[in-house]
Amino acid sequence: MPANRKKTLAKIAIALVLTTGSIYLFAPWQFALHYLYPLPATIEAQVAQAVDQGLDGIIVSVDNIDGDPEAYAAGWHNRETRQPANPDALFKIGSIRKLYLASAIAKLVADGTISLDRSLADYLPELKGRIEYADSISLRMMVQHRSGIPNYTDAEGFDWGEEYADVLDLVIDRPADFEPDTGYAYSNTNYLLLGRIMNRALGYDHEEYIRQALLEPFGLSNTYLSVTEIVPERLMSGYHVGYAMDFKMLDQGYVATAQDVAVFVRALNDGSLFTDEERQIYSSLYEYGHKGWVLGHSSTARYHSDIDAVVVQFVNTTGNDTVLLTSIVYHRILRILRARQSDALPTQNAGSPR
């Protein structure tokens, strides 16, 4: 990587730390105005307003149980070429990927390939003595972020824009954050190791298993496991506030369309992704929606039972106070959907005395 780019990415890493603090210290006052701004009547108007408030581009997909999927986009797919945002664009989904990994684990537990009660050291014995408590950290604890294994993205020297030979080196031989199952701390290292455990147990790459067991049965042909698998022009550009460069081609995990993610999250929540046994296992393990964040791309995918809809939001701007702004925009979209559903309900006994 060129030296000037390394310097830029190092500056971004420092800015991320400062941004996290500033969100809670200063942003609530500023963005309260965005939250209290009159609610548009349509999602189209809301996504356009989000771009006016400083986001480069936004995609929203709504999967309704009784209607056709809805897709919206505003802003730029690529701001340098002035290419408009496209609701069918590919996007880097970040930690939403954990829903796919946890689902695969539930299936592999059900068929006896792995056990939630066996330890990290049982499956990866080379890590005993290198990961503290490896012999008493169960797979269940790892799935649920109760392992105490340090998060490599929080490690000193981690750079979101760097490509590592093995990112595990950042936390190997480091003290645990806490003893296993005595606390909770979100750690990307858990899922890095779970992927390796699945590889070892399967005898082949777990991502091929995910492709065959989770993607192909639901026709998710617009979900990819890496940017190396795609036509780059289909991928929405990713920007960080204050920097001109486009970060989209950094290889940071899964890439998908909003509609593919919505279909997957619907199947996860309605249980059609699983057999009865697998569904019971998953329900004891992990959550049913997730957020994602990588440099230049932030995402949210959740099912909302009160409106029976999956809402997926992709935003291609990170940095400064965009974490809070994107959350406000998402919740305003939910308010629009709830208002729309409420308006569509027939008035019961309209005009009759009570």
Side-chain angles (χ1 to χ4, degrees), residues 318-331:
T318 57
N320 282 4
D321 299 320
T322 54
V323 170
L324 186 57
L325 177 56
T326 56
S327 178
I328 289 171
V329 171
Y330 187 86
H331 285 91

Side-chain angles (χ1 to χ4, degrees), residues 2 14 29-30 39 47 60-61 89 99 115 120 122 131 141 157 163 184 192 279 288 303 316 341 344:
I14 294 169
W29 295 101
Q30 177 186 354
L39 193 69
V47 296
V60 173
S61 178
L99 297 177
S115 168
L120 170 60
D122 288 335
I131 297 288
M141 295 173 199
E163 294 184 1
Y184 172 92
L192 173 70
R279 187 184 307 118
Y288 287 83
Y303 169 72
N316 68 342
Q341 186 178 83

Side-chain angles (χ1 to χ4, degrees), residues 257-315:
T257 61
Q259 181 56 31
D260 257 30
V261 173
V263 170
F264 176 80
V265 173
R266 168 73 68 180
L268 176 64
N269 279 269
D270 69 17
S272 59
L273 192 67
F274 301 123
T275 66
D276 288 344
E277 182 182 3
E278 292 165 356
R279 187 184 307 118
Q280 290 176 6
I281 292 168
Y282 189 90
S283 68
S284 71
L285 269 184
Y286 204 55
E287 55 189 287
Y288 287 83
H290 221 286
K291 289 186 176 183
W293 194 103
V294 294
L295 199 59
H297 295 79
S298 68
S299 50
T300 304
R302 298 195 184 281
Y303 169 72
H304 302 276
S305 59
D306 60 321
I307 53 175
D308 200 0
V310 175
V311 181
V312 177
Q313 176 179 281
F314 293 161
V315 170

Side-chain angles (χ1 to χ4, degrees), residues 152-353:
Y152 67 80
T153 61
D154 292 334
E156 183 179 356
F158 176 78
D159 187 329
W160 282 99
E162 188 65 73
E163 294 184 1
Y164 295 87
D166 189 353
V167 74
L168 187 62
D169 291 340
L170 294 174
V171 297
I172 209 81
D173 298 322
R174 302 287 179 89
D177 289 341
F178 49 82
E179 291 186 18
D181 213 26
T182 63
Y184 172 92
Y186 188 89
S187 176
N188 289 297
T189 314
N190 286 318
Y191 280 75
L192 173 70
L193 293 171
L194 287 166
R196 296 183 184 188
I197 287 169
M198 285 191 280
N199 292 348
R200 187 76 57 88
L202 287 165
Y204 60 90
D205 195 327
H206 72 281
E207 292 187 331
E208 182 57 33
Y209 176 83
I210 286 174
R211 196 191 308 275
Q212 294 175 8
L214 302 178
L215 304 184
E216 291 177 359
F218 288 88
L220 301 180
S221 59
N222 286 307
T223 301
Y224 301 90
L225 307 179
S226 166
V227 296
T228 61
E229 299 181 358
I230 67 170
V231 176
E233 289 74 21
R234 292 192 62 200
L235 181 60
M236 194 176 196
S237 292
Y239 305 105
H240 193 80
V241 174
Y243 297 86
M245 66 184 67
D246 183 348
F247 294 100
K248 76 175 188 177
M249 291 312 294
L250 290 173
D251 193 359
Q252 296 172 312
Y254 288 12
V255 173
T257 61
Q259 181 56 31
D260 257 30
V261 173
V263 170
F264 176 80
V265 173
R266 168 73 68 180
L268 176 64
N269 279 269
D270 69 17
S272 59
L273 192 67
F274 301 123
T275 66
D276 288 344
E277 182 182 3
E278 292 165 356
R279 187 184 307 118
Q280 290 176 6
I281 292 168
Y282 189 90
S283 68
S284 71
L285 269 184
Y286 204 55
E287 55 189 287
Y288 287 83
H290 221 286
K291 289 186 176 183
W293 194 103
V294 294
L295 199 59
H297 295 79
S298 68
S299 50
T300 304
R302 298 195 184 281
Y303 169 72
H304 302 276
S305 59
D306 60 321
I307 53 175
D308 200 0
V310 175
V311 181
V312 177
Q313 176 179 281
F314 293 161
V315 170
N316 68 342
T317 313
T318 57
N320 282 4
D321 299 320
T322 54
V323 170
L324 186 57
L325 177 56
T326 56
S327 178
I328 289 171
V329 171
Y330 187 86
H331 285 91
R332 285 170 66 86
I333 289 168
L334 292 181
R335 288 170 61 195
I336 292 169
L337 289 168
R338 287 170 178 139
R340 189 175 73 182
Q341 186 178 83
S342 179
D343 290 344
L345 294 174
T347 303
Q348 199 169 38
N349 298 324
S352 60

